Amino acid sequence: MEAKKTVLISGGAGYIGSHTAVELIGAGYDVVVIDNLSNSEEASVEGVRRITGRDIPFEIVDTCDMAALRSVFAKYDFDTVIHFAAFKAVGESVAEPLKYYANNLVSFMNIVEMMKEFGRPNVLFSSSATVYGDAETLPVTELTPRKPATSPYGNTKQMAEDILRDCCAAYAGLYGIALRYFNPVGAHPSALIGELPRGVPNNLVPFVTQTAAGVRECLSIFGDDYDTPDGTCLRDYIDIVDLACAHVAAVRRMTEGKMEGKFEIFNVGTGHPVSVLELVTTFEKVNGLKLNYRMAPRRAGDVPAVWADTSRANEVLGWKAECSLEDTLRSAWEWEKRVRGL
Ligand code: UD1
């Protein structure tokens, strides 16, 4: 029997969800997008439609609303859900922990509950390198012990991984994969979709592109006295299209029944550490501009360095990051220019 080819994407109007929708469609899947638009715009679904030439079903649904979610499960026939819908601002989660625990955990448990109720098998969960905290050995493999979370946001990622593991062990028909993303950056080469943070960006690349566009006056580089080659933090910046392709590989593994256990975890990064300063100078070089930046004190909660050992994803998923940092920083700037009408 041919595997069912429809994937429900919760949070599909968001940054990672919209890029994943494009790549899934390119790989021959149908997608259904749900999103409550709390931190995203319907325009990104329109962007996905324009890129793919497909009329994608989209419903404004909050995954915390069990009744609304149940109607989606009743209406569409899919075997696989990718659950992106979540809040993701680390600082805000420290200030408003209940908001994060309620939203991120209830929405995820609702998804799993519906999978069980409707007998749908495959859940792909968006996890994060944040689960490793300040790791003792680098690069981190999937077997590197998780550290106690330093924020409620990080805690929701750890807890959701555990919830999925336990539910897969308990419920016969349920299979799960957690992808631990490193730092997703860049935009689709068409510049029709990209990252659109509301308010002042927390993350580095949107702050860089907004500074280049004149929306922000000056980028602060948080800390130049770390024990790293140039004193700034090291991260693993993964191109958003590469990241989206990792989801396609994981979905394929699930829908083709190739999983070895019931729950699997994969790091999704490039395997290469890049410093904040290196990222900034590369951005300047490839886009031919000067960025206004200054050194600033360390940001609370930042780890000095984290990057991925990607062997498992390379070997088991048959996936590998391909886009260069140069190309991804070009795409990030093209997107910002389009958003600002530059
Ligand atoms: C953070 C979260 C991670 C989450 C990711 C995406 C933690 C510890 N980190 O990663 O879980 O998945 O965001 O939302 O939970 N920087 C500057 N100036 C800025 C902004 C950032 O110098 O204006 C530096 C930071 O100090 C850091 C690097 O840039 O060294 C990357 O920061 P950021 O983009 O915020 O990502 P992370 O903190 O690595």
Side-chain angles (χ1 to χ4, degrees):
M1 194 181 79
E2 206 193 326
K4 274 194 208 131
K5 291 277 224 170
T6 304
V7 179
L8 177 74
I9 307 180
S10 79
Y15 176 42
I16 308 178
S18 56
H19 288 80
T20 298
V22 169
E23 297 309 317
L24 279 170
I25 291 166
Y29 291 89
D30 291 327
V31 303
V32 174
V33 169
I34 57 173
D35 201 300
N36 69 356
L37 301 180
S38 68
N39 190 28
S40 58
E41 315 291 333
E42 194 165 347
S44 61
V45 182
E46 208 36 60
V48 175
R49 290 186 180 123
R50 280 184 62 190
I51 293 167
T52 60
R54 293 273 289 276
D55 186 21
I56 297 144
F58 169 61
E59 311 230 0
I60 299 177
V61 167
D62 188 332
T63 40
C64 288
D65 178 347
M66 182 84 100
L69 196 57
R70 186 174 280 114
S71 333
V72 171
F73 273 71
K75 181 166 170 190
Y76 299 99
D77 190 16
F78 49 82
D79 266 2
T80 305
V81 176
I82 309 183
H83 181 62
F84 293 106
F87 294 149
K88 60 168 187 177
V90 177
E92 185 189 46
S93 80
V94 175
E96 293 185 70
L98 276 179
K99 175 173 168 181
Y100 274 68
Y101 288 118
N103 184 68
N104 291 7
L105 296 180
V106 170
S107 65
F108 185 56
M109 289 189 292
N110 283 352
I111 292 276
V112 177
E113 180 73 37
M114 286 302 104
M115 299 300 283
K116 205 169 137 265
E117 190 173 311
F118 284 80
R120 312 276 170 89
N122 307 321
V123 181
L124 183 45
F125 174 67
S126 291
S127 191
S128 164
T130 195
V131 302
Y132 296 113
D134 192 3
E136 258 131 55
T137 52
L138 291 167
V140 291
T141 77
E142 292 80 357
L143 297 176
T144 301
R146 296 185 321 191
K147 284 283 184 69
T150 53
S151 71
Y153 159 77
N155 212 9
T156 66
K157 292 296 177 193
Q158 295 200 353
M159 292 165 88
E161 281 191 355
D162 294 347
I163 290 167
L164 186 54
R165 181 202 58 211
D166 293 347
C167 290
C168 290
Y171 306 131
L174 192 69
Y175 295 80
I177 289 183
L179 297 182
R180 291 179 176 162
Y181 312 148
F182 283 68
N183 291 61
V185 293
H188 192 266
S190 65
L192 287 169
I193 51 174
E195 190 171 10
L196 201 57
R198 290 191 181 161
V200 182
N202 295 305
N203 296 117
L204 178 61
V205 168
F207 208 106
V208 164
T209 56
Q210 289 194 12
T211 306
V215 180
R216 310 282 154 208
E217 214 165 288
C218 181
L219 168 76
S220 294
I221 294 185
F222 297 138
D224 63 353
D225 57 351
Y226 286 100
D227 184 16
T228 58
D230 65 18
T232 66
C233 292
L234 297 174
R235 294 287 184 275
D236 184 335
Y237 296 95
I238 169 86
D239 179 74
I240 188 70
V241 176
D242 278 335
L243 176 59
C245 291
H247 292 78
V248 176
V251 167
R252 197 170 276 139
R253 183 167 172 79
M254 297 181 117
T255 54
E256 293 177 0
K258 298 215 169 106
M259 284 179 67
E260 272 153 23
K262 295 207 66 199
F263 174 62
E264 297 178 335
I265 296 177
F266 296 95
N267 283 343
V268 187
T270 66
H272 303 295
V274 171
S275 79
V276 176
L277 198 55
E278 205 180 332
L279 183 141
V280 168
T281 52
T282 306
F283 180 86
E284 292 185 316
K285 192 179 82 199
V286 300
N287 294 310
L289 43 82
K290 277 272 156 233
L291 202 69
N292 193 17
Y293 68 87
R294 66 184 175 94
M295 294 304 169
R298 293 180 178 197
R299 182 173 71 176
D302 276 341
V303 300
V306 64
W307 70 95
D309 180 321
T310 61
S311 321
R312 191 170 143 74
N314 299 161
E315 286 155 23
V316 179
L317 290 181
W319 166 92
K320 196 167 169 302
E322 278 168 5
C323 187
S324 67
L325 182 66
E326 284 80 4
D327 282 344
T328 203
L329 292 177
R330 274 190 204 100
S331 71
W333 179 228
E334 288 308 314
W335 162 250
E336 187 71 49
K337 282 195 290 187
R338 181 169 169 271
V339 169
R340 307 288 161 194
L342 297 174

